[in-house]
Amino acid sequence: MVSVIILSAGSSARMNGINKQLAEIGGFPVFVLSALAFEGCKDVGEIIIAAPTGECRQFEEMARSYGISKLSCVTEGGNSRFRSMKNALEKVSPSAEFIAFHDGARPLITAEDIGKIFADAEKYNAAIAAVHAVDTVKTVSGGFIETTPDRSSLFYAQTPQVFRKELFLSCLERLGRQAENVTDDSQILELCGENVKITEISGCNMKITRPDDLTAAQAVYNSRKTFGAN
């Protein structure tokens, strides 16, 4: 059984006053659309949502009103992704074999791609959504280019990121406070020398970060409805 944690406690700092989690795409709040992607997955046994401080009740009522029947609880987020993740982990069911972390601001993940990531996680113990880098990436110092890495080996890490629960918790314990500085969940395993499988996804899985992203995400949503994509 997979316990899915939807991380929705971000500050929306670059959204010009818009709460991106509550903005609507296709008539659904962004965080709800993200949760609905996992609601229909047979392997998912529970969904936990990490909400902004003081908004847990609102998020829970909205999630249930939109049919998130697998919602087990809504936890209060912290002042960092790590703290929000830790708060949610405390509510994970003892019967969960895997933990999946997903950004609430990535509402376009498809059921097909979720299935691919889950399958890789079961086979390799850890797997994350990723897309191959299409832009040339530069390393920079003092505003000037230092090197140009070979982009054939570069991937953009996304979510969901799925881990065998006991392995993830073990790595978290081994790292201690060092884990607080990671920028994504898979780094916790990386820093412990564990292998993490890259699962290259095919569908658009953009993250809502700026106001214009809502327009782009709505266009993708409409396109899927028009052409029948999941």
Side-chain angles (χ1 to χ4, degrees):
M1 186 267 275
V2 182
S3 178
V4 178
I5 294 174
I6 306 290
L7 295 162
S8 303
S11 63
S12 300
R14 288 170 283 185
M15 290 294 293
N16 296 339
I18 300 171
N19 185 332
K20 64 184 177 183
Q21 300 292 344
L22 302 181
E24 292 192 357
I25 295 174
F28 299 93
V30 165
F31 86 93
V32 168
L33 200 55
S34 297
L36 282 171
F38 295 90
E39 171 73 20
C41 295
K42 61 180 178 60
D43 293 325
V44 173
E46 66 178 5
I47 295 172
I48 298 167
I49 296 172
T53 301
E55 298 182 42
C56 290
R57 183 173 181 179
Q58 178 187 7
F59 271 59
E60 180 171 1
E61 289 175 351
M62 291 182 73
R64 296 197 187 283
S65 71
Y66 282 96
I68 310 299
S69 63
K70 293 181 180 179
L71 181 69
S72 64
C73 66
V74 176
T75 61
E76 192 167 278
N79 58 4
S80 67
R81 179 189 179 87
F82 174 81
R83 184 49 53 192
S84 296
M85 178 262 287
K86 283 279 287 181
N87 290 349
L89 276 175
E90 293 176 1
K91 301 298 184 180
V92 169
S93 169
S95 62
E97 187 178 0
F98 291 90
I99 304 169
F101 298 98
H102 187 64
D103 297 323
R106 291 189 189 273
L108 299 175
I109 187 67
T110 67
E112 179 183 0
D113 283 331
I114 291 172
K116 289 166 58 179
I117 300 159
F118 280 5
D120 277 351
E122 185 170 9
K123 184 176 181 179
Y124 299 104
N125 296 321
I128 72 168
V131 292
H132 209 286
V134 294
D135 300 315
T136 298
V137 178
K138 305 288 187 179
T139 59
V140 176
S141 177
F144 293 91
I145 294 172
E146 283 195 324
T147 61
T148 303
D150 178 6
R151 74 180 184 191
S152 66
S153 63
L154 297 179
F155 284 79
Y156 301 130
Q158 299 185 351
T159 64
Q161 301 193 357
V162 187
F163 313 100
R164 195 170 294 276
K165 183 178 73 173
E166 296 307 320
L167 174 62
F168 185 82
L169 295 179
S170 171
C171 289
L172 195 61
E173 184 177 359
R174 284 155 60 189
L175 286 182
R177 296 194 63 178
Q178 186 182 358
E180 298 180 21
N181 300 317
V182 303
T183 56
D184 83 336
D185 310 299
S186 67
Q187 278 187 281
I188 290 171
L189 272 71
E190 289 176 56
L191 291 170
C192 288
E194 300 289 346
N195 291 326
V196 178
K197 180 73 168 65
I198 286 290
T199 302
E200 194 166 2
I201 61 175
S202 55
C204 175
N205 187 31
M206 64 180 290
K207 187 176 184 180
I208 307 298
T209 304
R210 298 176 177 84
D212 286 351
D213 294 335
L214 290 169
T215 303
Q218 183 65 59
V220 173
Y221 181 88
N222 291 343
S223 175
R224 289 177 179 176
K225 287 295 183 183
T226 301
F227 296 103
N230 59 5

